[in-house]
């Protein structure tokens, strides 16, 4: 009797399987899928590289700056990088469709470049990373942030130290 | 004809890759006619060297690595590992984090138990009901995917708390899904108590007596089905279990049916616990929002995985990597009891009895 009710209900509801690939697949908002990297907000702290259990994330110094590579074929989609990233520069999208032909296997990489810049104060070549100013008090204004960003790490520290006065 | 009536002993191999046995376990079974007379258990087909790997990765990488030891207890492993690290470093998990840990733990328990009981129905030969039960489990799997972002490796734990948070929308969604699972589970329990096919195949089969259960030191639902009233959540409360109305179910028959019934009753208890957790969920941070170095030290922690008690031993030194991680998983304690359960069983019941201990060899052989 019990099963007959289920049978009647299932007959009315139709198949439970998803129509994919002919229809859309169930994809929740929070699904942990493909990695997305935003070089503009990266502080270059490289914590993601250290917490990645699969060693899928690599930073490398090049003449143009520092490159970021996340190998999706090595990635285990655990989300440690996103969780420990202080500025949300690395983010997991809910795009799960990573199927590809074998010829593309070396292209399954999320690539980013933190470019070099010339420090506006001392003229040294340094990375144009997002400044680590989360704990700065009072919070930096947009102009101040841009000014800090245009400097090399040494001049950034100097700038923030001298800044205390106007508060 | 008369020569066929003489009982002969044959040795038959079951596993490591057996059509009805989902785990790579090898049994050399001596049978007399249709009856099992002697069992030889041989394991070691799924060794991946994870214990060694943990000493090559930092504490924060290991939370993810331990999660991948086993897909069905994939919350209990990182949780117990994180508890050990927190014990060494003296980290206090925030109140909301404690409750959210319980939420993740119980959600995994619901889907894990449903999976095991569904497989039992499959081995009984009731394929239609197996499909139905897997569809019920799918409500839970969709819930895990929607809340945590993955069906199995939910990635809820971190050292110092949890990685996820719940808002009103997700709490309402979980409550809705739990209502659905609860109704269906109650129906499943009714079916298990009345359906002739299931009762005939599972009642009085693979009995583990109370005395044998004590001898083997079995844990989890296997122990509780044999009358050993033991649950780590009650004996040594962790997370928020000391504040929750936990009911420990135990039966006395110790057969396949009792083990399935204990699991089904536990699903209902888990749903109750989840509802209480979601109702009493305190505010505040979900984790310590820090990545402290774990000082040198050692700790032993334990928790109740869906399959039973899991114990972690962790020793750290001055490096970011642990010096030694060792875990004792429930299946390690439970599989010895198969010698008692399979004794004098029918050949056709072997797969069903093995499934009834809910074996997890990826944990045991890691």
């Amino acid at each position: 009797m019990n099963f007959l009710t289920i049978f009647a209900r299932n007959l009315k509801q139709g198949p439970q399987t998803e129509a994919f690939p002919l229809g859309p697949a169930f994809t929740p908002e929070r699904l942990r899928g493909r990695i997305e990297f935003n070089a503009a907000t990266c502080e270059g702290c490289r914590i993601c590289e250290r917490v990645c259990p699969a060693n899928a994330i690599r930073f490398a110094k090049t003449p143009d700056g520092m490159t970021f590579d996340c190998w999706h074929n090595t990635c285990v989609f655990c989300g440690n990088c996103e969780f420990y990233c202080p500025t949300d520069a690395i983010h997991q999208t809910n795009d799960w469709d990573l199927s590809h032909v074998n010829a593309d296997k070396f292209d399954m990489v999320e690539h980013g470049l933190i470019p070099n810049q010339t420090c506006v104060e001392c003229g040294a070549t340094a990375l144009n990373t997002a400044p680590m100013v989360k704990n700065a008090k009072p919070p930096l204004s947009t102009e101040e942030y841009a000014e800090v960003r245009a400097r090399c790490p040494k001049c950034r520290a100097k700038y923030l130290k001298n800044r205390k006065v106007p508060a | 004809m008369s020569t066929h009536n003489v009982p002969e002993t044959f040795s038959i191999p079951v596993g490591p890759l057996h059509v009805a046995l989902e785990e790579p376990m090898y049994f050399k079974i001596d049978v007399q006619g249709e009856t099992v007379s002697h069992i030889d258990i041989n394991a070691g087909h799924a060794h991946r060297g994870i214990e060694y790997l943990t000493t090559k990765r930092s504490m924060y990488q290991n939370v993810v690595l331990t999660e991948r030891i086993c897909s069905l207890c994939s919350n209990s492993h990182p949780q117990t590992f994180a508890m050990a690290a927190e014990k060494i470093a003296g980290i206090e998990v925030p109140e909301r984090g404690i409750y959210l840990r319980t939420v993740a733990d119980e959600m995994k328990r619901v889907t894990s138990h449903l999976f095991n009981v569904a497989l039992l129905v499959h081995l009984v030969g009731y394929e239609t009901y197996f499909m139905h039960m897997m569809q019920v489990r799918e409500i839970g799997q969709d819930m895990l995917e929607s809340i945590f972002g993955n069906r199995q490796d939910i990635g809820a734990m971190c050292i110092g708390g949890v990685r996820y948070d719940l808002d009103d929308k997700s709490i309402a969604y979980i409550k809705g899904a739990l209502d659905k699972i609860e109704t269906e589970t109650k129906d499943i329990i009714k079916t298990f108590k009345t359906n002739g096919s299931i009762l005939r195949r599972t009642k009085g089969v693979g009995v583990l007596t109370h005395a044998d259960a004590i001898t083997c030191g079995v844990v989890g639902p296997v122990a509780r089905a044999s009358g050993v009233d033991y649950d780590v959540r009650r004996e040594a409360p962790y997370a928020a279990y000391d504040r929750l109305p936990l009911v420990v179910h135990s039966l006395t028959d110790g057969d396949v049916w009792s083990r399935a019934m204990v699991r089904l009753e536990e699903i209902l208890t888990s749903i109750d616990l989840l509802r209480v957790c979601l109702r009493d969920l305190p505010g505040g941070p979900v984790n310590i929002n820090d990545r402290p170095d774990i000082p040198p030290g050692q700790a032993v922690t334990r928790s109740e995985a869906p399959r039973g008690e899991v114990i972690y031993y962790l020793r750290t030194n001055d490096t970011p990597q642990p010096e030694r991680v060792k875990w004792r998983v429930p299946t390690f304690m439970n599989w010895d009891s198969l010698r008692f359960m399979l004794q004098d069983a029918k050949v056709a019941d072997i797969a069903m009895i093995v499934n009834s201990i809910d074996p997890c060899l990826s944990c045991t052989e890691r």
Side-chain angles (χ1 to χ4, degrees), chain A residues 74-131:
Chain A
T74 313
C75 178
V76 294
F77 304 98
C78 64
N80 245 10
C81 48
E82 178 178 355
F83 177 66
Y84 286 112
C85 179
T87 57
D88 298 325
I90 190 159
H91 164 69
Q92 268 189 300
T93 63
N94 69 349
D95 174 16
W96 47 265
D97 191 3
L98 290 153
S99 57
H100 56 276
V101 292
N102 200 30
D104 295 340
K105 67 179 172 185
F106 295 119
D107 298 331
M108 299 304 289
V109 183
E110 174 72 13
H111 182 78
L113 173 74
I114 305 166
N116 277 333
Q117 65 174 358
T118 313
C119 174
V120 290
E121 205 168 312
C122 69
T125 306
L127 290 173
N128 181 15
T129 53

Side-chain angles (χ1 to χ4, degrees), chain B residues 103-153:
Chain B
V103 169
D105 215 21
E106 293 305 319
M107 277 192 194
K108 282 298 286 188
R109 197 183 313 278
V110 168
T111 53
S112 175
H113 280 349
L114 271 172
F115 183 67
N116 177 258
V117 183
L119 272 182
L120 170 68
V121 178
H122 158 69
L123 293 170
V124 162
Y126 197 171
E127 293 299 326
T128 328
Y129 209 63
F130 160 69
M131 292 289 184
H132 169 67
M133 286 191 67
M134 288 304 269
Q135 191 52 46
V136 175
R137 175 179 180 260
E138 208 55 25
I139 304 170
Q141 291 299 104
D142 282 350
M143 179 168 76
L144 292 176
E145 199 175 10
S146 305
I147 302 297
F148 304 103
N150 195 303
R151 288 164 58 89
Q152 289 292 3
D153 298 318

Side-chain angles (χ1 to χ4, degrees), chain B residues 15-63:
Chain B
L17 296 169
H18 190 262
V19 277
L21 192 67
E22 74 278 22
E23 297 281 342
M25 205 172 184
Y26 174 67
F27 298 90
K28 191 164 149 280
I29 292 178
D30 293 335
V31 289
Q32 219 161 21
E34 274 288 301
T35 314
V36 176
S37 60
H38 183 258
I39 309 108
D40 218 10
I41 303 175
N42 188 342
H45 302 90
H47 181 70
R48 291 167 289 162
I50 295 190
E51 273 189 10
Y52 174 79
L53 284 179
T54 52
T55 61
K56 300 287 156 201
R57 279 171 170 72
S58 74
M59 297 296 286
Y60 293 90
Q61 290 173 314
N62 274 332
V63 174

